[in-house]
Amino acid sequence: MTVYRCSGRAPPQTALREWGGGGGGGGISKKSGVGGTCVHMFGSALLNPCNGFCFVTAKMLRAKAATKKYRRYSQSTLEECIRKVQSGDLSVKKASQEYAIPKTTLLDKLSGRRPVSSTQGPSPILTVDEEEKLVEWIFHMNRIGYGQTRRGLCFTVKKILDDDGRDNPFKDNLPGPHWVRAFLRRHPNVSERMGEALGVERAYLTAAKLEKWFDEFVGFMNSTEVEDGEVLLLDPTRIFNCDESGFPLAGKTEKVLAPTGVKYVYQYSNSDRRQITVMACMSAAGLFIEPMLIFPNSRFRYNPLEGAPDSFCIGRSSNGWMNTEVFFEWVANHFLPTVRKEKVKLPVLLLLDGHAAHINLETTKFCAENHIILYCLPAHSSHILQPCDISLFGSLKKAWWAEVTRWKTANIGQVVNKMNFAAVFAPVWRRCARADIAVSGFEAAGLYPLNKDRFDREKLGPSAIFGQAQTPSTSAPTSSASPSASTNTQQSPPSTSSSATALSSSIAPTPPTVPASPAHQLSKHAEASIALRVLEATLTEEKVWLFNHRYEEDYDVDTDALYNSWRKIKDQTREAPAAHPAETATPPADAFEAHLRFPRAPDRPLGRKRKGEELPHALSGEVYRKYMEKKRKDKEDEETRKRVNREKREAAKKKKEEAKKKKKKPTTPDPSSESDDGDINENTCAGCQREYDGEEEDWLGCEACPRWYHRRCTDIMNVTEMSDSELRDLDWQCANCM
């Protein structure tokens, strides 16, 4: 217990009032007398009164003052209180008492001596309107799949400050982590989230494509090819969705408790990075088909389903992934028997993605014969229209990580492998295979009840920049500009324009009508530079490069109006800027306009686009079956053609080798040897008189004399195109022997 000694003089009256006595905190209470007789109270212990005057030390006063709150009311409470006072519902005194706001504060706010909205500390570098514009840009970039990191946000603000030229405490105009934390505190609606990878194919998916699929789906179900299609769409027990997902054996590392400052923190795990594929299926009414576990093996020396229910199904493939054979086995030996066992009325609808592992002729024929309607979802739309992806696999994966961690803790020294995977996965499936999960997945996808306006369109945000170029209207509002001027500065330039003049005029910046200072006045040079940046933002990189190339080469293209407009602005940027540095500084509105830009999609998707006819989505329909039969026949014909050609090549190669053995070969040159026919030299061409060069296939001998010729030196027509077998059958004699 701490006891403060008397300092010999009485404390000030304000200090006694502020420190106060009694209750549960240590303090003093004033008694009678000049300075008063004070007692120290610490908790419930009451000490004897001091003999002299007690003095509250400065340390005690500072400790008490530090706990004082700046204000005990919120901004919304203050605004509500002021509205009631202004409307006459409350007087200033009653409002102060009811809302616990000091009377002087209300008088200052009502008289205008202090603004209604105020904050502690120094003013931020960016104004409130500018930060709101920055928040709007962050939100839009997140919606289109280009979320910003803390570091990216700092560099964006740096570019704005570099152009703006305002004073700031940052080194090289680059904000640090303290500014980011303060920015997030000022905007609690902005938070850090872990981004999910989105493939470029999914980024091109639009709502129009999905709505078209819904229309085609309804049209097929109402056609004569489907028995009672309209009734089937209203029966949730007959609508199924199936999909597969991989579950890693190694599990997932997570944050653990460890000593502060320790360098290495390990977590026991499995070194096997392979995964087991789980095939899941559920109906819109909440019925779950027991899963199929696909293992990467063809033979087992153990029971892979040990510890799992007998209703689980097992599949085998070389790599542990789904393929056409495993899928056919699942449909024929697991899905259909379960549907019949549950006494589900046929036909049933089975929705699935268009992966190649789900499609072959045997499966489509089997489904058509057994009243199973296979219908394919749109390409790259699993995250939007696949009920298993929307509601089931997320909870399954989360429960799987937790179960692996719990199992490893309960079985020290052991890891999850292929032998015990089923036993570990079984309780996870039992916890997650709930009817509410299945129902919510079909409802969120708009598949049951069937509603093409139900699917989540926010997931299609990235498609906003693909297919049409967009440029933001990110000009920060200024208090000095008139309403008409502010309206003009907020207009965004069009992505495409039939007239280059209209395009250049729409993106040209509007100078402030009432400039506050010379620093906010734009020179013609700065004005043209901003207009050029905004114009080039609407063009592709290839188009900008072409314009610069034309400009450097001084081309005069009269037919290209867009280039001529770009060239006029470019000429203005080549003029020397004004000497005064304040006149060349970029105003805040133009700095935001230049740097808070949205990404522009390329004119066409990156990579090679596969071309071909659009296939029907009804995999078990008659049209698709005929297509698959034709495709199989074409494949068989192609294989037959290749086999025949291969046999011909092998036979020709064999004949060629035999001909080489029988073919007369020129002997090695021997100057001392003389031919039987006088001066005939067998080692030279009788036509061009060139010596033998070792190329046997290029030489042809006369059947009547020992002369040899190059093929090109003979009088045989098209001899270079004749095969060896044709030359062997040719009884040729040279011109000397004929």
Side-chain angles (χ1 to χ4, degrees):
M1 180 183 299
T2 304
V3 178
Y4 292 91
R5 292 184 176 275
C6 178
S7 61
R9 58 191 178 91
Q13 182 69 18
T14 56
L16 291 173
R17 264 201 322 267
E18 184 176 356
W19 191 255
I28 60 177
S29 59
K30 185 179 179 183
K31 303 293 182 180
S32 59
V34 179
T37 303
C38 304
V39 293
H40 293 278
M41 299 180 66
F42 294 89
S44 59
L46 178 63
L47 304 183
N48 293 327
C50 297
N51 294 328
F53 294 104
C54 178
F55 176 66
V56 181
T57 63
K59 180 178 180 181
M60 296 171 65
L61 291 176
R62 284 197 303 271
K64 183 64 178 178
T67 61
K68 181 181 178 181
K69 195 173 181 180
Y70 170 63
R71 59 183 185 183
R72 303 180 183 277
Y73 53 88
S74 63
Q75 181 66 28
S76 59
T77 304
L78 175 62
E79 294 175 357
E80 182 183 353
C81 179
I82 291 177
R83 281 197 301 269
K84 288 193 175 183
V85 173
Q86 290 176 342
S87 63
D89 296 341
L90 292 175
S91 64
V92 175
K93 183 176 181 180
K94 289 184 177 179
S96 175
Q97 295 174 352
E98 182 176 340
Y99 287 92
I101 300 176
K103 182 178 179 182
T104 54
T105 300
L106 291 178
L107 293 175
D108 289 341
K109 304 292 185 182
L110 292 170
S111 63
R113 289 192 296 269
R114 294 288 185 271
V116 177
S117 177
S118 60
T119 57
Q120 285 181 280
S123 301
I125 305 303
L126 303 179
T127 64
V128 175
D129 292 335
E130 290 171 346
E131 287 198 352
E132 288 297 330
K133 187 63 65 176
L134 190 62
V135 170
E136 180 184 351
W137 176 74
I138 291 173
F139 287 169
H140 186 84
M141 294 293 286
N142 176 73
R143 284 193 296 269
I144 63 178
Y146 287 84
Q148 299 297 301
T149 61
R150 291 193 178 206
R151 184 177 179 84
L153 176 63
C154 291
F155 276 101
T156 300
V157 175
K158 170 181 167 56
K159 293 177 183 178
I160 294 174
L161 296 179
D162 287 342
D163 282 2
D164 179 61
R166 71 182 70 178
D167 295 333
N168 61 82
F170 307 137
K171 182 179 179 180
D172 297 331
N173 292 336
L174 180 63
H178 296 290
W179 179 87
V180 177
R181 287 195 291 268
F183 176 82
L184 295 178
R185 284 197 302 268
R186 291 192 294 271
H187 303 278
N189 56 338
V190 181
S191 62
E192 281 188 298
R193 300 285 299 275
M194 181 62 68
E196 181 180 353
L198 183 72
V200 64
E201 297 84 3
R202 290 185 174 184
Y204 281 89
L205 188 66
T206 61
K209 293 180 181 179
L210 300 183
E211 291 174 355
K212 179 182 177 183
W213 178 89
F214 271 95
D215 295 338
E216 294 177 353
F217 173 59
V218 173
F220 173 77
M221 296 300 295
N222 294 335
S223 65
T224 57
E225 192 172 353
V226 180
E227 181 183 354
D228 296 334
E230 297 181 359
V231 179
L232 192 154
L233 293 177
L234 300 177
D235 189 354
T237 62
R238 301 165 64 185
I239 303 175
F240 291 85
N241 172 242
C242 67
D243 195 18
E244 65 273 355
S245 183
F247 289 78
L249 297 175
K252 182 180 180 180
T253 57
E254 53 188 352
K255 289 185 178 181
V256 296
L257 300 177
T260 303
V262 67
K263 189 174 183 180
Y264 302 106
V265 178
Y266 296 107
Q267 197 167 5
Y268 189 77
S269 181
N270 190 351
S271 58
D272 189 353
R273 299 301 174 184
R274 290 181 296 179
Q275 61 182 9
I276 305 298
T277 302
V278 176
M279 180 69 174
C281 182
M282 61 185 185
S283 74
L287 173 64
F288 280 85
I289 307 294
E290 293 288 28
M292 168 187 272
L293 311 182
I294 306 175
F295 291 88
N297 253 336
S298 57
R299 295 182 180 178
F300 296 102
R301 297 180 180 178
Y302 55 89
N303 180 15
L305 295 181
E306 183 177 357
D310 297 336
S311 54
F312 275 30
C313 180
I314 183 173
R316 291 184 287 266
S317 65
S318 59
N319 53 10
W321 299 349
M322 176 64 73
N323 56 35
T324 54
E325 291 79 10
V326 176
F327 183 73
F328 176 79
E329 181 182 346
W330 176 80
V331 173
N333 301 329
H334 191 59
F335 173 75
L336 183 59
T338 305
V339 168
R340 289 174 175 172
K341 179 182 177 182
E342 297 293 335
K343 298 181 180 180
V344 179
K345 183 180 178 181
L346 297 177
V348 295
L349 174 65
L350 181 57
L351 299 168
L352 70 168
D353 58 57
H355 195 274
H358 302 154
I359 303 171
N360 65 351
L361 184 57
E362 287 76 12
T363 304
T364 56
K365 284 185 176 181
F366 178 85
C367 292
E369 294 170 357
N370 291 274
H371 307 287
I372 300 174
I373 303 172
L374 281 183
Y375 204 88
C376 181
L377 296 171
H380 314 295
S381 65
S382 296
H383 61 302
I384 300 177
L385 296 185
Q386 184 91 269
C388 286
D389 275 357
I390 294 175
S391 62
L392 177 61
F393 284 139
S395 56
L396 263 181
K397 291 291 180 69
K398 186 176 180 180
W400 168 252
W401 303 132
E403 182 64 22
V404 170
T405 302
R406 186 204 64 77
W407 188 89
K408 288 191 299 184
T409 304
N411 299 271
I412 301 298
Q414 300 184 34
V415 294
V416 179
N417 51 35
K418 294 185 295 183
M419 291 185 288
N420 54 28
F421 175 86
V424 180
F425 180 77
V428 175
W429 177 262
R430 289 288 175 252
R431 287 199 298 269
C432 297
R434 305 194 312 267
D436 60 319
I437 288 182
V439 172
S440 62
F442 277 89
E443 183 180 354
L447 297 175
Y448 185 83
L450 191 63
N451 183 5
K452 66 179 181 180
D453 298 326
R454 180 63 179 84
F455 63 84
D456 192 355
R457 280 172 166 75
E458 290 186 5
K459 294 182 179 180
L460 300 172
S463 65
I465 65 169
F466 293 93
Q468 59 177 0
Q470 293 185 0
T471 50
S473 58
T474 52
S475 56
T478 55
S479 58
S480 59
S482 62
S484 60
S486 63
T487 303
N488 293 334
T489 57
Q490 292 179 0
Q491 292 178 352
S492 61
S495 58
T496 57
S497 174
S498 58
S499 170
T501 306
L503 177 61
S504 59
S505 63
S506 63
I507 62 175
T510 304
T513 56
V514 187
S517 63
H520 292 284
Q521 295 179 357
L522 274 177
S523 66
K524 291 184 177 180
H525 179 271
E527 201 172 318
S529 300
I530 298 168
L532 183 66
R533 285 200 302 267
V534 178
L535 174 58
E536 291 181 348
T538 64
L539 305 175
T540 61
E541 295 181 0
E542 293 81 2
K543 183 71 72 175
V544 174
W545 179 89
L546 177 62
F547 283 4
N548 280 288
H549 179 69
R550 290 176 178 176
Y551 189 87
E552 296 297 333
E553 297 294 334
D554 198 17
Y555 289 162
D556 190 8
V557 185
D558 296 333
T559 58
D560 194 342
L562 181 60
Y563 168 70
N564 292 331
S565 299
W566 177 88
R567 183 176 181 175
K568 290 180 182 179
I569 303 175
K570 186 74 172 180
D571 290 337
Q572 296 177 10
T573 61
R574 291 296 181 94
E575 297 175 326
H580 199 288
E583 295 180 359
T584 61
T586 306
D590 298 309
F592 275 74
E593 183 75 25
H595 296 292
L596 296 189
R597 298 181 298 178
F598 300 152
R600 186 175 184 273
D603 294 337
R604 58 183 180 274
L606 300 177
R608 297 191 337 183
K609 186 176 181 181
R610 183 180 300 176
K611 296 182 180 180
E613 58 179 335
E614 186 176 355
L615 301 178
H617 291 94
L619 304 183
S620 59
E622 183 179 358
V623 177
Y624 194 84
R625 290 201 308 274
K626 290 182 178 179
Y627 165 78
M628 292 295 294
E629 291 174 354
K630 181 179 180 299
K631 186 176 179 181
R632 168 175 285 189
K633 185 178 182 303
D634 293 343
K635 185 177 180 180
E636 292 175 352
D637 294 343
E638 180 68 16
E639 291 178 354
T640 302
R641 186 186 64 81
K642 290 181 179 180
R643 178 176 54 79
V644 172
N645 291 339
R646 184 169 60 252
E647 292 175 354
K648 289 182 178 180
R649 288 195 303 269
E650 292 176 354
K653 183 178 180 182
K654 187 176 180 180
K655 288 182 180 181
K656 184 177 179 181
E657 293 176 353
E658 293 176 354
K660 285 183 179 180
K661 296 178 181 179
K662 297 179 180 179
K663 188 176 181 181
K664 294 184 295 183
K665 298 181 181 179
T667 58
T668 55
D670 187 3
S672 61
S673 64
E674 293 291 338
S675 62
D676 296 338
D677 293 353
D679 296 334
I680 297 176
N681 188 357
E682 299 181 9
N683 296 310
T684 60
C685 177
C688 62
Q689 301 301 321
R690 293 184 181 179
E691 293 186 356
Y692 172 66
D693 52 7
E695 296 291 337
E696 299 180 4
E697 297 180 356
D698 192 38
W699 289 76
L700 185 64
C702 178
E703 296 293 339
C705 68
R707 292 183 180 88
W708 286 86
Y709 293 82
H710 290 106
R711 290 190 181 187
R712 63 180 178 273
C713 296
T714 62
D715 56 355
I716 305 174
M717 295 182 62
N718 301 327
V719 66
T720 57
E721 300 178 2
M722 298 176 66
S723 63
D724 292 341
S725 60
E726 292 175 341
L727 290 174
R728 284 194 299 270
D729 298 336
L730 182 65
D731 188 10
W732 177 75
Q733 294 181 5
C734 64
N736 296 323
C737 300
M738 293 179 63

